CSV table of all heavy atoms in Angstrom, one decimal:
chain,number,residue,atom,x,y,z
A,23,SER,N,-3.8,21.1,13.6
A,23,SER,CA,-2.6,22.0,13.6
A,23,SER,C,-2.0,22.1,12.2
A,23,SER,O,-1.4,23.0,11.8
A,23,SER,CB,-1.5,21.6,14.6
A,23,SER,OG,-1.1,20.2,14.3
A,24,VAL,N,-2.3,20.9,11.3
A,24,VAL,CA,-1.6,21.0,10.0
A,24,VAL,C,-2.6,21.1,8.8
A,24,VAL,O,-2.2,21.0,7.8
A,24,VAL,CB,-0.8,19.8,9.9
A,24,VAL,CG1,0.3,19.6,10.9
A,24,VAL,CG2,-1.6,18.4,9.8
A,25,LYS,N,-4.0,20.8,9.1
A,25,LYS,CA,-5.0,20.9,8.1
A,25,LYS,C,-4.9,22.0,7.2
A,25,LYS,O,-4.9,23.2,7.7
A,25,LYS,CB,-6.4,20.6,8.8
A,25,LYS,CG,-7.4,20.4,7.9
A,25,LYS,CD,-8.7,19.9,8.4
A,25,LYS,CE,-9.8,19.5,7.6
A,25,LYS,NZ,-11.0,19.2,8.2
A,26,GLY,N,-5.0,21.9,6.0
A,26,GLY,CA,-4.9,23.0,5.0
A,26,GLY,C,-3.5,23.3,4.6
A,26,GLY,O,-3.3,24.0,3.7
A,27,ARG,N,-2.6,22.9,5.3
A,27,ARG,CA,-1.1,23.0,4.9
A,27,ARG,C,-0.3,21.9,4.6
A,27,ARG,O,0.5,21.9,3.8
A,27,ARG,CB,-0.3,23.7,6.1
A,27,ARG,CG,-0.9,24.9,6.6
A,27,ARG,CD,0.0,25.7,7.6
A,27,ARG,NE,0.2,24.9,8.9
A,27,ARG,CZ,1.3,24.4,9.4
A,27,ARG,NH1,2.4,24.6,8.7
A,27,ARG,NH2,1.2,23.7,10.4
A,28,PHE,N,-0.7,20.7,5.1
A,28,PHE,CA,-0.1,19.3,4.8
A,28,PHE,C,-1.0,18.5,4.1
A,28,PHE,O,-2.2,18.5,4.2
A,28,PHE,CB,0.3,18.7,6.2
A,28,PHE,CG,1.3,19.1,7.0
A,28,PHE,CD1,1.9,20.5,6.7
A,28,PHE,CD2,2.0,18.6,8.0
A,28,PHE,CE1,2.9,21.1,7.4
A,28,PHE,CE2,3.0,19.2,8.7
A,28,PHE,CZ,3.5,20.4,8.5
A,29,THR,N,-0.4,17.6,3.2
A,29,THR,CA,-1.3,16.7,2.4
A,29,THR,C,-0.6,15.3,2.4
A,29,THR,O,0.6,15.2,2.2
A,29,THR,CB,-1.4,17.1,0.9
A,29,THR,OG1,-2.0,18.5,0.9
A,29,THR,CG2,-2.3,16.2,0.2
A,30,ILE,N,-1.3,14.3,2.9
A,30,ILE,CA,-0.8,12.9,2.9
A,30,ILE,C,-1.3,12.3,1.7
A,30,ILE,O,-2.5,12.5,1.3
A,30,ILE,CB,-1.2,12.2,4.1
A,30,ILE,CG1,-0.6,10.8,4.3
A,30,ILE,CG2,-2.7,12.0,4.3
A,30,ILE,CD1,-0.7,10.2,5.5
A,31,SER,N,-0.4,11.5,1.1
A,31,SER,CA,-0.8,10.6,-0.2
A,31,SER,C,0.0,9.3,-0.2
A,31,SER,O,0.9,9.1,0.6
A,31,SER,CB,-0.5,11.4,-1.4
A,31,SER,OG,0.8,11.9,-1.5
A,32,ARG,N,-0.5,8.4,-1.0
A,32,ARG,CA,0.3,7.2,-1.1
A,32,ARG,C,0.3,6.7,-2.6
A,32,ARG,O,-0.5,7.1,-3.5
A,32,ARG,CB,-0.5,6.0,-0.3
A,32,ARG,CG,-1.7,5.5,-0.7
A,32,ARG,CD,-2.4,4.7,0.3
A,32,ARG,NE,-1.4,3.6,0.7
A,32,ARG,CZ,-1.7,2.9,1.8
A,32,ARG,NH1,-2.6,3.2,2.7
A,32,ARG,NH2,-0.8,1.9,2.1
A,33,ASP,N,1.4,6.0,-2.9
A,33,ASP,CA,1.5,5.5,-4.2
A,33,ASP,C,1.9,4.0,-4.0
A,33,ASP,O,2.9,3.6,-3.7
A,33,ASP,CB,2.8,6.1,-4.9
A,33,ASP,CG,3.0,5.7,-6.3
A,33,ASP,OD1,2.4,4.6,-6.6
A,33,ASP,OD2,3.5,6.4,-7.0
A,34,GLY,N,0.7,3.3,-4.3
A,34,GLY,CA,0.8,1.8,-4.1
A,34,GLY,C,1.9,1.2,-4.9
A,34,GLY,O,2.5,0.2,-4.5
A,35,ALA,N,2.0,1.5,-6.1
A,35,ALA,CA,2.9,1.1,-7.1
A,35,ALA,C,4.4,1.1,-6.6
A,35,ALA,O,5.2,0.3,-6.9
A,35,ALA,CB,2.9,1.6,-8.4
A,36,LYS,N,4.6,2.2,-5.9
A,36,LYS,CA,5.9,2.4,-5.3
A,36,LYS,C,6.0,2.1,-3.9
A,36,LYS,O,7.3,2.2,-3.4
A,36,LYS,CB,6.4,3.9,-5.6
A,36,LYS,CG,6.4,4.3,-6.9
A,36,LYS,CD,6.8,5.9,-7.1
A,36,LYS,CE,6.8,6.3,-8.5
A,36,LYS,NZ,7.1,7.8,-8.5
A,37,ASN,N,5.1,1.6,-3.3
A,37,ASN,CA,5.1,1.2,-1.9
A,37,ASN,C,5.6,2.4,-1.1
A,37,ASN,O,6.4,2.2,-0.2
A,37,ASN,CB,5.9,0.0,-1.5
A,37,ASN,CG,5.2,-1.2,-2.0
A,37,ASN,OD1,3.9,-1.3,-2.1
A,37,ASN,ND2,6.0,-2.4,-2.1
A,38,THR,N,5.1,3.6,-1.3
A,38,THR,CA,5.6,4.9,-0.7
A,38,THR,C,4.4,5.7,-0.3
A,38,THR,O,3.5,5.9,-0.9
A,38,THR,CB,6.5,5.5,-1.7
A,38,THR,OG1,7.6,4.8,-2.0
A,38,THR,CG2,7.0,6.8,-0.9
A,39,ILE,N,4.5,6.4,0.9
A,39,ILE,CA,3.5,7.4,1.2
A,39,ILE,C,4.4,8.6,1.3
A,39,ILE,O,5.6,8.7,1.6
A,39,ILE,CB,2.8,7.1,2.5
A,39,ILE,CG1,3.7,7.1,3.7
A,39,ILE,CG2,2.0,5.8,2.4
A,39,ILE,CD1,3.0,7.1,5.0
A,40,TYR,N,3.7,9.7,1.3
A,40,TYR,CA,4.3,11.0,1.2
A,40,TYR,C,3.6,12.1,2.3
A,40,TYR,O,2.3,11.9,2.5
A,40,TYR,CB,4.2,11.8,-0.2
A,40,TYR,CG,4.9,10.9,-1.2
A,40,TYR,CD1,4.0,10.1,-2.0
A,40,TYR,CD2,6.1,10.9,-1.5
A,40,TYR,CE1,4.6,9.2,-2.9
A,40,TYR,CE2,6.8,10.1,-2.4
A,40,TYR,CZ,5.9,9.3,-3.2
A,40,TYR,OH,6.5,8.6,-4.2
A,41,LEU,N,4.3,13.1,2.6
A,41,LEU,CA,3.7,14.2,3.4
A,41,LEU,C,4.2,15.4,2.8
A,41,LEU,O,5.4,15.8,3.1
A,41,LEU,CB,3.9,14.1,4.9
A,41,LEU,CG,3.3,15.0,5.8
A,41,LEU,CD1,1.9,14.7,5.9
A,41,LEU,CD2,3.8,15.1,7.2
A,42,GLN,N,3.3,16.2,2.0
A,42,GLN,CA,3.7,17.3,1.5
A,42,GLN,C,3.5,18.5,2.5
A,42,GLN,O,2.3,18.5,3.0
A,42,GLN,CB,2.9,17.6,0.2
A,42,GLN,CG,3.0,19.0,-0.4
A,42,GLN,CD,4.5,19.1,-0.9
A,42,GLN,OE1,5.0,18.3,-1.6
A,42,GLN,NE2,5.2,20.3,-0.6
A,43,MET,N,4.4,19.2,3.0
A,43,MET,CA,4.4,20.2,4.0
A,43,MET,C,4.4,21.6,3.4
A,43,MET,O,5.6,21.8,3.0
A,43,MET,CB,5.2,19.9,5.1
A,43,MET,CG,5.2,18.5,5.7
A,43,MET,SD,6.2,18.3,7.1
A,43,MET,CE,7.8,18.4,6.3
A,44,ASN,N,3.5,22.5,3.4
A,44,ASN,CA,3.7,23.8,2.9
A,44,ASN,C,3.4,24.8,4.0
A,44,ASN,O,2.9,24.5,5.1
A,44,ASN,CB,2.5,24.0,1.8
A,44,ASN,CG,2.8,23.1,0.6
A,44,ASN,OD1,3.9,22.8,0.2
A,44,ASN,ND2,1.6,22.8,0.0
A,45,SER,N,3.8,25.9,3.8
A,45,SER,CA,3.7,27.1,4.7
A,45,SER,C,4.3,26.6,6.2
A,45,SER,O,3.6,26.9,7.1
A,45,SER,CB,2.2,27.5,4.8
A,45,SER,OG,1.8,27.9,3.6
A,46,LEU,N,5.4,26.2,6.2
A,46,LEU,CA,5.9,25.6,7.4
A,46,LEU,C,6.2,26.7,8.5
A,46,LEU,O,6.5,27.8,8.1
A,46,LEU,CB,7.2,24.8,7.2
A,46,LEU,CG,7.1,23.4,6.6
A,46,LEU,CD1,8.3,22.9,5.9
A,46,LEU,CD2,6.7,22.5,7.6
A,47,LYS,N,5.9,26.3,9.7
A,47,LYS,CA,6.1,27.2,10.8
A,47,LYS,C,7.0,26.6,11.8
A,47,LYS,O,7.3,25.5,11.8
A,47,LYS,CB,4.7,27.3,11.5
A,47,LYS,CG,3.6,27.7,10.6
A,47,LYS,CD,2.3,27.7,11.5
A,47,LYS,CE,1.1,28.1,10.5
A,47,LYS,NZ,-0.1,28.1,11.4
A,48,PRO,N,7.7,27.5,12.7
A,48,PRO,CA,8.7,27.0,13.7
A,48,PRO,C,8.1,25.9,14.5
A,48,PRO,O,8.8,24.9,14.8
A,48,PRO,CB,9.0,28.3,14.4
A,48,PRO,CG,8.9,29.4,13.5
A,48,PRO,CD,7.7,29.0,12.6
A,49,GLU,N,6.7,26.0,14.8
A,49,GLU,CA,6.1,24.9,15.6
A,49,GLU,C,6.0,23.6,14.9
A,49,GLU,O,5.6,22.6,15.6
A,49,GLU,CB,4.9,25.4,16.2
A,49,GLU,CG,3.9,26.0,15.1
A,49,GLU,CD,3.9,27.5,15.0
A,49,GLU,OE1,5.0,28.1,14.9
A,49,GLU,OE2,2.8,28.0,14.9
A,50,ASP,N,6.3,23.5,13.7
A,50,ASP,CA,6.4,22.3,13.0
A,50,ASP,C,7.6,21.5,13.1
A,50,ASP,O,7.7,20.3,12.7
A,50,ASP,CB,6.1,22.4,11.5
A,50,ASP,CG,4.8,23.1,11.1
A,50,ASP,OD1,3.8,22.5,11.7
A,50,ASP,OD2,4.7,23.9,10.3
A,51,THR,N,8.6,22.2,13.9
A,51,THR,CA,9.9,21.6,14.0
A,51,THR,C,9.7,20.3,15.0
A,51,THR,O,9.2,20.4,15.9
A,51,THR,CB,10.9,22.5,14.7
A,51,THR,OG1,11.2,23.5,13.8
A,51,THR,CG2,12.2,21.8,15.2
A,52,ALA,N,10.2,19.1,14.4
A,52,ALA,CA,10.1,17.8,15.2
A,52,ALA,C,10.8,16.7,14.3
A,52,ALA,O,11.0,17.0,13.1
A,52,ALA,CB,8.6,17.5,15.3
A,53,VAL,N,10.9,15.6,14.9
A,53,VAL,CA,11.2,14.4,14.2
A,53,VAL,C,9.9,13.8,13.8
A,53,VAL,O,8.9,13.6,14.6
A,53,VAL,CB,11.9,13.3,15.2
A,53,VAL,CG1,12.2,12.0,14.4
A,53,VAL,CG2,13.2,14.0,15.6
A,54,TYR,N,9.8,13.5,12.5
A,54,TYR,CA,8.6,13.0,11.8
A,54,TYR,C,8.8,11.6,11.6
A,54,TYR,O,9.8,11.0,11.0
A,54,TYR,CB,8.3,13.7,10.5
A,54,TYR,CG,7.8,15.1,10.7
A,54,TYR,CD1,8.5,16.1,11.3
A,54,TYR,CD2,6.4,15.3,10.5
A,54,TYR,CE1,7.9,17.4,11.5
A,54,TYR,CE2,5.8,16.6,10.7
A,54,TYR,CZ,6.6,17.6,11.1
A,54,TYR,OH,6.1,18.8,11.4
A,55,TYR,N,7.7,10.8,12.0
A,55,TYR,CA,7.8,9.3,12.0
A,55,TYR,C,6.7,8.8,11.1
A,55,TYR,O,5.5,9.3,11.1
A,55,TYR,CB,7.6,8.7,13.2
A,55,TYR,CG,8.6,9.0,14.4
A,55,TYR,CD1,8.6,10.1,15.2
A,55,TYR,CD2,9.7,8.1,14.5
A,55,TYR,CE1,9.6,10.4,16.0
A,55,TYR,CE2,10.8,8.4,15.3
A,55,TYR,CZ,10.7,9.5,16.2
A,55,TYR,OH,11.7,9.8,17.1
A,56,CYS,N,7.0,7.8,10.2
A,56,CYS,CA,6.1,7.2,9.4
A,56,CYS,C,5.7,5.9,10.2
A,56,CYS,O,6.4,5.3,11.0
A,56,CYS,CB,6.6,6.7,8.1
A,56,CYS,SG,5.7,5.7,7.0
A,57,ALA,N,4.3,5.5,10.1
A,57,ALA,CA,3.8,4.4,10.8
A,57,ALA,C,2.8,3.6,10.0
A,57,ALA,O,2.2,4.1,9.1
A,57,ALA,CB,3.1,4.9,12.1
A,58,ALA,N,2.7,2.3,10.3
A,58,ALA,CA,1.8,1.4,9.5
A,58,ALA,C,0.9,0.5,10.6
A,58,ALA,O,1.6,0.1,11.5
A,58,ALA,CB,2.6,0.5,8.5
A,59,ASP,N,-0.2,0.3,10.2
A,59,ASP,CA,-1.1,-0.5,11.1
A,59,ASP,C,-1.8,-1.5,10.4
A,59,ASP,O,-2.3,-1.2,9.2
A,59,ASP,CB,-1.9,0.4,11.9
A,59,ASP,CG,-2.5,-0.3,13.1
A,59,ASP,OD1,-1.9,-0.5,14.0
A,59,ASP,OD2,-3.8,-0.7,12.9
A,60,ARG,N,-2.0,-2.7,10.9
A,60,ARG,CA,-2.8,-3.8,10.3
A,60,ARG,C,-4.3,-3.6,10.3
A,60,ARG,O,-4.9,-4.3,9.6
A,60,ARG,CB,-2.4,-5.1,10.9
A,60,ARG,CG,-0.9,-5.6,10.8
A,60,ARG,CD,-0.6,-6.8,11.5
A,60,ARG,NE,-0.9,-6.5,13.1
A,60,ARG,CZ,-0.8,-7.3,14.2
A,60,ARG,NH1,-0.5,-8.6,13.8
A,60,ARG,NH2,-0.9,-7.0,15.3
A,61,GLY,N,-4.7,-2.8,11.3
A,61,GLY,CA,-6.2,-2.7,11.3
A,61,GLY,C,-6.9,-2.0,10.2
A,61,GLY,O,-6.3,-1.2,9.5
């Protein structure tokens, strides 16, 4: 649903990840959660 519009990236030096969201649609409306996993 988001491929080609959204881009995920990370900056290890800043301990930060990003989600660049372009061409947003009404169906993108939601609460967005960041998650981390040890695996």
Side-chain angles (χ1 to χ4, degrees):
S23 59
V24 306
K25 193 172 185 178
R27 299 189 297 121
F28 291 10
T29 303
I30 187 171
S31 61
R32 71 189 304 160
D33 186 337
K36 297 180 179 179
N37 284 339
T38 301
I39 65 166
Y40 304 94
L41 186 68
Q42 178 66 46
M43 306 185 294
N44 298 327
S45 301
L46 283 163
K47 305 174 181 179
E49 51 262 46
D50 295 319
T51 295
V53 176
Y54 283 71
Y55 296 91
C56 177
D59 194 78
R60 296 171 296 174

